[in-house]
Amino acid sequence: MVSFNHYAYGAVGNWLYTRVGGLSMAEPGYKTFRFAPVIGKQLEFAEVSHTCPYGTITCRWEKDSAAAHGYIMKFHVPEQTRAIVTCPDGVVREYEGGDYTIA
C-alpha cells in the first residue's frame, strides 16, 4: 500500500504550480498573488489555475519564437485582486482585475 498522504506528492505538485506554472499566493486568500514562471528549455508551455474566494485565477505561458521575448504569457486576474507578475527577463509589473497578454 502506498500512502497518498506522503509529503513527496505535495512537494511535486507545489513545485509544478509555483515554479513551472509560476503561481503563488502573496496575501491570504489570493487577494494578491504572484505569477512568476520559470521557463525552461524542455517544456513548450504550462498552464495553471486556482479557484480563490474572488474567482478563478488562470496563468499560462508558452514559447513562441515570433514573440518579442520568445514567449507569450496570458493570465486572468479576478476582480478585487492584484497580480504581481515577474517576466522571465526580470521585469515586474502589477495588474488589477482583468485578462492580460504579454508577448
Side-chain angles (χ1 to χ4, degrees):
M1 180 68 188
V2 175
S3 171
F4 292 110
N5 228 0
H6 195 275
Y7 170 74
Y9 293 112
V12 172
N14 184 57
W15 178 78
L16 286 170
Y17 261 80
T18 60
R19 301 293 289 168
V20 176
L23 180 61
S24 63
M25 180 173 50
E27 278 187 53
Y30 285 83
K31 179 75 173 167
T32 301
F33 61 92
R34 289 184 178 86
F35 178 42
V38 176
I39 298 177
K41 293 180 182 177
Q42 296 192 0
L43 293 177
E44 293 296 318
F45 74 95
E47 183 172 2
V48 295
S49 66
H50 177 74
T51 302
C52 71
Y54 305 96
T56 301
I57 300 166
T58 59
C59 303
R60 177 184 171 84
W61 64 262
E62 64 183 275
K63 291 180 181 176
D64 185 343
S65 58
H69 301 288
Y71 60 84
I72 296 174
M73 296 183 356
K74 296 180 180 185
F75 52 97
H76 173 75
V77 181
E79 293 299 321
Q80 302 176 14
T81 65
R82 182 171 55 110
I84 302 168
V85 178
T86 304
C87 296
D89 57 5
V91 175
V92 178
R93 295 184 185 105
E94 293 189 17
Y95 296 87
E96 300 291 325
D99 292 307
Y100 300 94
T101 300
I102 298 173

